[in-house]
Amino acid sequence: MSFYHIQEDMEIFLKSTLDNLIDTKRQYLLQDISITWVNYHENTSNQKGFGCSFNNKKRIYPASIVKLVYALAIYKWIEQDQLIFNEQIDDAVCKMLQHSSNDATSFVIDMLTGTSSGPSLEGEKWENWRHQRQIINDWLSSFNWKELDGFNCCQKTWEDQPFGREKDFYGTENENINLMTTEGTGRILEEIMRHTEFDKNNVNLKRYLSRELNKEIYKKDTNNQIEGFLGEGLPENISFWSKAGLMSKVRHDAVWWTNNDLTNTLLIVFGNNPQFVQDQLIFPMISQRLYRYINKSTY
């Protein structure tokens, strides 16, 4: 059972949209794009949405999308009294989500796992360090969500590259890289948007994921996570939350928005090819067409 009901009409529309946008000269890109798309007709958190997907179980390097996992982990750790909330943690989570800070992400992972970066380790110290860094994966497994099968979320994110024990942890062939799917990312984002509540003694994930779609505002920030991503294809006046991921080989986005009738939409798109990095039009065109379809649909 998926975390949403499969909607055949949406599936047909999504496939026609992709066929339309990825022309015959670029058909090979269809194997490199993954999508999970869900509409929520009820505002209650216990009602499943209706949706569809494309290549949704393909494991892909998530870039900064993995920060959603680390953010939810911090929230749950604090909620369960495994971490004590303080201003430093709050500031780090805010910067990790709102500005995609890798320095803040490094601090968050250290807090979650009790590890720190540094020179290479050997023997028992190295084994203990590796064991500790798997704590987030063990926590993900405890949900027993099949959407998270095959997830690997134990690496920090980097401006340049890892060194020392961090580099060793990747493995000689980089076999230990972070890996996620759009389906599992959708389940994580749904959990954040529907099941985390504001608490003055915990991190406010929804506030830190909230973004302004007004061009005059977001264009003042060169790292705005809107231009070239899904938010750019949506109306400026809607409520919108997102976390993007971008590096030399991938362009990803995970978003949630409120529709005209106050229902909600979740959309996860992974572009696992440098062509998606270079093309800033495909993601906005996908979101624009799906938004128009939703807001004239009656189901």
Side-chain angles (χ1 to χ4, degrees):
M1 291 285 290
S2 174
F3 72 97
Y4 54 89
H5 301 292
I6 304 298
Q7 182 77 41
E8 187 177 352
D9 292 350
M10 291 172 64
E11 207 163 35
I12 292 169
F13 184 79
L14 177 61
K15 183 63 169 64
S16 69
T17 297
L18 293 177
D19 287 341
N20 218 263
L21 294 178
I22 299 177
D23 57 37
T24 53
K25 293 180 181 179
R26 299 184 298 175
Q27 277 293 303
Y28 68 91
L29 286 178
L30 283 174
Q31 68 185 3
D32 293 323
I33 192 167
S34 302
I35 297 177
T36 294
W37 173 31
V38 185
N39 293 327
Y40 297 88
H41 303 171
E42 304 288 342
N43 290 320
T44 54
S45 61
N46 60 349
Q47 294 294 322
K48 279 189 174 185
F50 293 79
C52 65
S53 58
F54 185 84
N55 289 336
N56 58 316
K57 296 180 181 179
K58 188 173 182 178
R59 297 196 307 153
I60 294 168
Y61 176 69
S64 288
I65 294 291
V66 74
K67 294 168 184 177
L68 290 172
V69 173
Y70 303 150
L72 181 60
I74 282 281
Y75 179 90
K76 295 291 187 180
W77 253 261
I78 294 170
E79 186 179 53
Q80 295 161 11
D81 296 324
Q82 294 173 267
L83 268 181
I84 298 173
F85 177 75
N86 59 47
E87 288 185 10
Q88 242 189 344
I89 289 176
D90 193 44
D91 186 47
V93 174
C94 174
K95 288 182 168 66
M96 178 177 70
L97 295 180
Q98 194 70 48
H99 308 295
S100 209
S101 165
N102 292 330
D103 290 341
T105 305
S106 177
F107 174 77
V108 165
I109 292 176
D110 289 347
M111 292 298 296
L112 288 168
T113 64
T115 62
S116 62
S117 303
S120 296
L121 296 170
E122 294 181 354
E124 187 177 352
K125 287 184 178 179
W126 173 231
E127 293 305 316
N128 288 340
W129 190 92
R130 290 173 60 194
H131 174 76
Q132 285 294 112
R133 280 294 285 271
Q134 291 293 342
I135 283 175
I136 301 169
N137 282 330
D138 294 340
W139 168 74
L140 287 173
S141 297
S142 72
F143 282 101
N144 292 315
W145 292 344
K146 69 181 185 62
E147 294 90 355
L148 304 183
D149 288 352
F151 264 41
N152 191 47
C153 301
C154 58
Q155 300 287 2
K156 295 183 175 182
T157 52
W158 307 98
E159 295 296 334
D160 184 12
Q161 64 182 43
F163 293 91
R165 68 191 69 167
E166 298 287 355
K167 183 174 176 59
D168 298 338
F169 192 50
Y170 272 80
T172 53
E173 302 295 327
N174 281 340
E175 63 270 20
N176 196 29
I177 61 170
N178 286 335
L179 291 170
M180 296 172 66
T181 64
T182 60
E183 201 77 346
T185 302
R187 188 73 192 263
I188 292 290
L189 185 56
E190 182 193 78
E191 180 70 14
I192 290 172
M193 296 305 301
R194 302 187 91 190
H195 300 288
T196 65
E197 301 297 334
F198 170 73
D199 183 337
K200 66 178 182 178
N201 296 314
N202 205 334
V203 291
N204 191 339
L205 301 185
K206 284 183 271 195
R207 186 177 76 185
Y208 301 152
L209 291 169
S210 178
R211 302 195 189 276
E212 176 60 64
L213 293 181
N214 183 294
K215 287 189 173 86
E216 291 185 5
I217 295 175
Y218 74 67
K219 286 201 172 188
K220 294 176 182 176
D221 178 7
T222 55
N223 299 313
N224 57 66
Q225 301 185 63
I226 301 296
E227 276 186 284
F229 294 97
L230 298 171
E232 188 178 6
L234 298 171
E236 293 186 356
N237 61 341
I238 65 170
S239 297
F240 178 79
W241 299 260
S242 78
K243 182 71 199 78
L246 182 69
M247 46 90 70
S248 60
K249 296 181 180 178
V250 304
R251 178 186 295 274
H252 305 324
D253 208 1
V255 311
W256 180 283
W257 72 74
T258 301
N259 295 297
N260 293 338
D261 59 359
L262 300 182
T263 60
N264 297 305
T265 293
L266 175 150
L267 179 60
I268 316 294
V269 182
F270 284 4
N272 189 36
N273 188 302
Q275 292 249 20
F276 290 108
V277 180
Q278 297 156 17
D279 189 337
Q280 295 195 32
L281 298 178
I282 288 182
F283 275 47
M285 287 192 292
I286 290 172
S287 59
Q288 183 182 72
R289 295 187 185 198
L290 299 192
Y291 179 86
R292 288 175 177 172
Y293 177 80
I294 295 161
N295 285 278
K296 71 178 180 182
S297 177
T298 56
Y299 64 80

